[in-house]
Amino acid sequence: MPGFTVAALTAVSLMLAVGSAGCARSSEAAAVPDRFRQLVDRPAVLDETENRLIARCMEQAGLGYPKVPAPRDDRPMSGLLRGATPLHAETARQHGYPDRWMTRARDPGKGPVDRYADSLPADTRERFHRLLLGEGGNDVRVVLPGNFEVAAASSGCVGSARRRLYGSVENYLTVYYLPELVQRQASAADEDPDVRDAHAAFARCMAAKGYDTATPDDAVALAATYYPDGRRGRAGADEKTLAAGDAECQTTVRLRERRAAAVDRLARRWLADNEAAVSRTYEVLRSALAEARTKG
């Protein structure tokens, strides 16, 4: 072949191979944020299927099992993670802060499984817990990136359901807790220089309105002082005025957007360092969803 030597052809082939590998690597990296977002927004069908499998296991042993609703996280997605519900000035002006922000934390009480167990005779109750959770304790441990350790039981109907749905309890722990691990990065956003500047601007804005509140959390805490015995029913006029000012100042200094950008930077930095772990976990999620479809 005129103009080309074997060495030249080899070099061209090598460059093409390297270029192809580079494109594949770039494509893989680009897919990681979307894969992670799907892990954060984990479909409820997984929890629903897990509960059905537990119920079948218990029923096969001659025991009942209550209907357990899938857990819900109503926080809106903000970039790659879930963020706080935004406070809108017009709503705050009319209704003050959301009720759940102003309600003192209460003991959530027992869930449906514990309430059902309590309704059983003592000897049946003991058997119920033994069949449900096994007797080995949290014997499966997984260490996620950053030495974040989580554990769960591999025995009992709960362990059996998770093995059937996720392939292993280790897989369950990883799918369930990897997003939570990254969600914890959000707290570090408050130390971001731009977020600190935004908080300083927010404090100045609130001071101009007559409030000594450095952060929106401080404003909610101040509102709570208006109700020594806890808020009952509708918000009072003082709370509405404070909440409206809070919302206006957050909008003026773009606090929510600037903090969301900082959280996104932190999350993307973590994802860049842990692409392989995210991709593996995403594949486990896909497999679990496929398995859930067969268990419907």
Side-chain angles (χ1 to χ4, degrees):
M1 183 180 294
F4 285 93
T5 65
V6 172
L9 287 171
T10 301
V12 170
S13 298
L14 180 59
M15 285 189 291
L16 289 173
V18 170
S20 177
C23 288
R25 172 71 180 78
S26 177
S27 177
E28 180 74 13
V32 167
D34 184 59
R35 291 172 178 175
F36 177 74
R37 195 175 289 109
Q38 292 180 61
L39 288 167
V40 172
D41 200 20
R42 183 168 51 92
V45 67
L46 291 175
D47 294 297
E48 294 165 354
T49 303
E50 180 184 325
N51 285 322
R52 281 200 299 272
L53 291 172
I54 293 171
R56 290 173 191 171
C57 176
M58 297 296 284
E59 288 163 3
Q60 288 169 2
L63 291 173
Y65 189 72
K67 184 175 179 59
V68 180
R72 292 180 56 188
D73 191 337
D74 294 328
R75 293 175 299 172
M77 290 294 293
S78 178
L80 294 171
L81 298 171
R82 294 191 182 279
T85 302
L87 181 65
H88 299 292
E90 188 56 36
T91 301
R93 197 171 289 114
Q94 294 181 26
H95 305 289
Y97 289 111
D99 290 343
R100 64 182 179 280
W101 294 10
M102 297 298 296
T103 302
R104 291 178 178 175
R106 299 176 181 174
D107 183 348
K110 295 184 176 181
V113 175
D114 285 331
R115 290 198 300 271
Y116 177 78
D118 287 347
S119 72
L120 300 173
D123 56 339
T124 306
R125 187 185 314 135
E126 182 180 348
R127 180 167 174 258
F128 175 90
H129 285 302
R130 188 169 60 249
L131 284 168
L132 181 66
L133 302 173
E135 299 178 331
N138 291 337
D139 57 322
V140 176
R141 297 184 180 276
V142 171
V143 179
L144 298 175
N147 292 320
F148 184 75
E149 185 173 317
V150 289
S154 64
S155 58
C157 286
V158 171
S160 172
R162 290 169 178 172
R163 291 197 309 273
R164 291 183 63 188
L165 182 57
Y166 292 92
S168 71
V169 175
E170 290 88 347
N171 283 345
Y172 158 78
L173 286 168
T174 304
V175 167
Y176 199 89
Y177 286 105
L178 189 74
E180 174 62 25
L181 169 60
V182 186
Q183 188 76 49
R184 294 187 178 202
Q185 306 290 313
S187 62
D190 290 331
E191 298 306 314
D192 181 272
D194 187 55
V195 176
R196 293 173 69 175
D197 287 347
H199 276 137
F202 173 83
R204 291 192 296 271
C205 179
M206 292 295 283
K209 295 177 182 293
Y211 300 108
D212 182 16
T213 51
T215 68
D217 286 345
D218 290 346
V220 175
L222 175 60
T225 67
Y226 299 159
Y227 311 97
D229 298 320
R231 194 177 87 180
R232 301 286 188 273
R234 297 179 181 179
D238 288 345
E239 179 194 335
K240 291 178 182 178
T241 302
L242 169 59
D246 178 358
E248 289 164 2
C249 285
Q250 288 192 53
T251 299
T252 297
V253 305
R254 298 181 62 253
L255 178 58
R256 177 179 169 81
E257 294 86 350
R258 292 162 76 177
R259 191 176 190 281
V263 169
D264 198 62
R265 287 193 293 272
L266 288 166
R268 287 181 183 278
R269 192 178 307 149
W270 189 96
L271 293 182
D273 292 338
N274 297 280
E275 289 177 6
V278 172
S279 294
R280 285 195 301 269
T281 307
Y282 171 74
E283 292 304 323
V284 172
L285 175 72
R286 288 185 60 194
S287 296
L289 287 172
E291 184 67 17
R293 286 194 288 271
T294 71
K295 301 284 191 290

